DNA sequence: CGTGTTCTTGAATTCAGTCAAACGGTGTGG
DNA sequence: CCACACCGTTTGACTGAATTCAAGAACACG
């Protein structure tokens, strides 16, 4: 039944277990799955592969092990709004209701751990600690969405790009360098801009010496203070 | 202690109790407060009065009885993004963490019912049904935020105003007429537009016969189908 | 080492914003 | 009860930030 829902390679089943996100964070999945002794299945998606569609039944909850995922909504004419990027360690696809409110795709080759939503619900029905944790995770997503509404509704192009860089720096920088998994179009669709506007803003920051490039997707922040100033 | 946190008139305490929203909806507050037998206090705010500030400690959870409330974030230079409007029946100010992520103000004279967050937490710690309900309410807010990100990031001015009208029609229309409690600036700050752009869009819809006015804030939708078409 | 994709840059356009003035509805005081 | 004043709204004219359209350049990949 798994193989019908997912058409992908090797499946590896395990209990609990640790993953290694870029920065040490409380392993939210472990805090649930491990705690309750749920079986977590490991699964892989290729670059650009769909993980689930908008309004699709929410069978599983996911955690990125390696790779990167985008969650988005589409308008009928194809305009896209990416609500968030999911990086190693992040949980995504968690729903309180029965359907996914956004679609999810692998940006690059990605491995996830997943557990059945039903089993989490069941654990939450008896264990108040689990219920509390699920609420806290949804509340965390809400916080991000609220911050992002401010960005989309009121910030300038340069402020949006500055916010994005600081967010990615915090979430995936290793040794001061960040390797962006997503293209300029993805960044634009996350920030409510066109890819050209994103590119121009990055070029301007480069010209001002605020950041350095090693190829378009490897960025070093050279002056976080000035970037903070540009971020309203 | 209540009188120190809130500087307002008559306080009326009661247990559970029903309120009458514009449309019959499951009384979310009752579903918790009533169920657990929590004491709900009634309280009033005058037009433009602050209910709580951004990053303020979340002491209480609120439900609008009569009136209307706006939740918003500010940038340092005063730019404002309203995340949502709270109308009779709506619960607001519910946090999983300890602080309010947005500020809240009464748009017009408003009466709310409120319960201590701590007492809800306590109820949730022993009653899984309560915990489930709190999660569902936060998830409902997240759904709205996700829809609103799409609007703010990707919709045109006319599409935003059309979406707004359909939302308000659904939430507060009585006998086909909606009495908007908020001014054009509030609508603009909700939709990521200026008040002038909102006004122009409304005038255009009026000229096309899609809506009728009875004073600037009383609107009748005359053609919901065409409004839906304008909403991407 | 090509080849296709992604990214950058330029030029022209456009949608919404800004600034400014007039209008109108509401509430108050004469 | 009417006149006035004030605030919110509408409308107009102009501006400007971001988009669109269009080449080229750089990069990743086989």
């Amino acid at each position: 039944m798994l193989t019908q829902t997912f058409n992908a390679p090797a499946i590896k089943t395990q209990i609990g277990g640790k993953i290694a996100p870029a920065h040490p964070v409380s392993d939210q999945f472990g805090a649930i799955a491990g705690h309750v002794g749920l079986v977590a299945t490991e699964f892989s998606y290729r670059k650009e592969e769909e993980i689930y569609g908008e309004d699709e039944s929410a069978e599983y909850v996911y955690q990125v092990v390696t790779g990167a995922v985008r969650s988005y909504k589409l308008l009928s004419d194809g305009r896209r709004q990416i609500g968030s990027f999911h990086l190693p360690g992040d949980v995504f696809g968690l729903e309180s209701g029965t359907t996914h409110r956004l679609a999810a795709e692998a940006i690059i080759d990605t491995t996830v751990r997943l557990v059945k939503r039903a089993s989490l619900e069941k654990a939450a029905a008896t264990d108040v600690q689990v219920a509390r944790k699920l609420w806290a995770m949804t509340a965390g997503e809400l916080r991000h969405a609220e911050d992002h509404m401010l960005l989309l509704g009121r910030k300038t192009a340069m402020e949006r790009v500055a916010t994005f860089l600081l967010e990615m720096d915090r979430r995936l920088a290793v040794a001061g360098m960040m390797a962006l998994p997503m293209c300029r179009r993805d960044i634009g669709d996350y920030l409510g801009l066109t890819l050209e506007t994103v590119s121009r803003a990055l070029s301007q920051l480069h010209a001002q010496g605020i950041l350095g490039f090693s190829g378009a997707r490897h960025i070093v922040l050279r002056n976080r203070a000035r970037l903070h100033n540009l971020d309203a």
Side-chain angles (χ1 to χ4, degrees), chain A residues 35-36 38 118-132 134:
Chain A
H35 186 262
V36 188
L38 290 178
S119 62
L120 276 186
E121 291 273 8
K122 204 173 150 201
T126 57
D127 187 335
V128 173
Q129 290 291 73
V130 172
R132 187 69 181 74
L134 294 177

Side-chain angles (χ1 to χ4, degrees), chain A residues 130-150:
Chain A
V130 172
R132 187 69 181 74
K133 186 68 186 172
L134 294 177
W135 180 26
M137 288 197 290
T138 295
E141 290 184 61
L142 177 59
R143 172 165 62 250
H144 180 269
E146 287 163 345
D147 291 342
H148 211 59
M149 285 193 285
L150 177 62

Side-chain angles (χ1 to χ4, degrees), chain A residues 20 45 58 73 85 90 126-128 153 156 175 213 229:
Chain A
Y45 298 91
K73 280 177 168 285
F85 293 117
D90 294 346
T126 57
D127 187 335
V128 173
T156 66
F213 281 113
N229 289 146

Side-chain angles (χ1 to χ4, degrees), chain A residues 2 71 75 85 95 127 170 193 223 226:
Chain A
L2 241 185
S71 286
L75 292 175
F85 293 117
E95 300 288 344
D127 187 335
R170 176 172 54 76
L193 300 171
N223 195 331
R226 283 177 68 191

Side-chain angles (χ1 to χ4, degrees), chain A residues 28-55:
Chain A
Q28 310 215 62
F29 221 56
I32 298 171
H35 186 262
V36 188
L38 290 178
V39 174
T41 301
E42 213 156 279
F43 204 88
S44 293
Y45 298 91
R46 279 151 304 180
K47 182 170 149 67
E48 305 292 291
E49 194 175 353
E50 175 173 300
I51 300 172
Y52 51 78
E54 194 174 335
D55 297 322

Side-chain angles (χ1 to χ4, degrees), chain A residues 144-201:
Chain A
H144 180 269
E146 287 163 345
D147 291 342
H148 211 59
M149 285 193 285
L150 177 62
L151 177 148
L152 294 171
R154 288 301 180 218
K155 291 189 182 180
T156 66
M158 184 55 82
E159 288 166 350
R160 294 178 203 209
V161 171
T163 304
F164 170 78
L165 288 170
L166 291 168
E167 180 188 353
M168 288 302 139
D169 181 52
R170 176 172 54 76
R171 293 176 64 193
L172 56 69
V174 178
M177 156 86 65
M178 50 184 151
L180 297 176
M182 73 290 285
C183 65
R184 297 291 187 264
R185 178 174 296 279
D186 286 342
I187 299 172
D189 285 351
Y190 179 58
L191 299 179
L193 300 171
T194 60
L195 66 93
E196 293 94 331
T197 300
V198 172
S199 179
R200 278 184 244 272

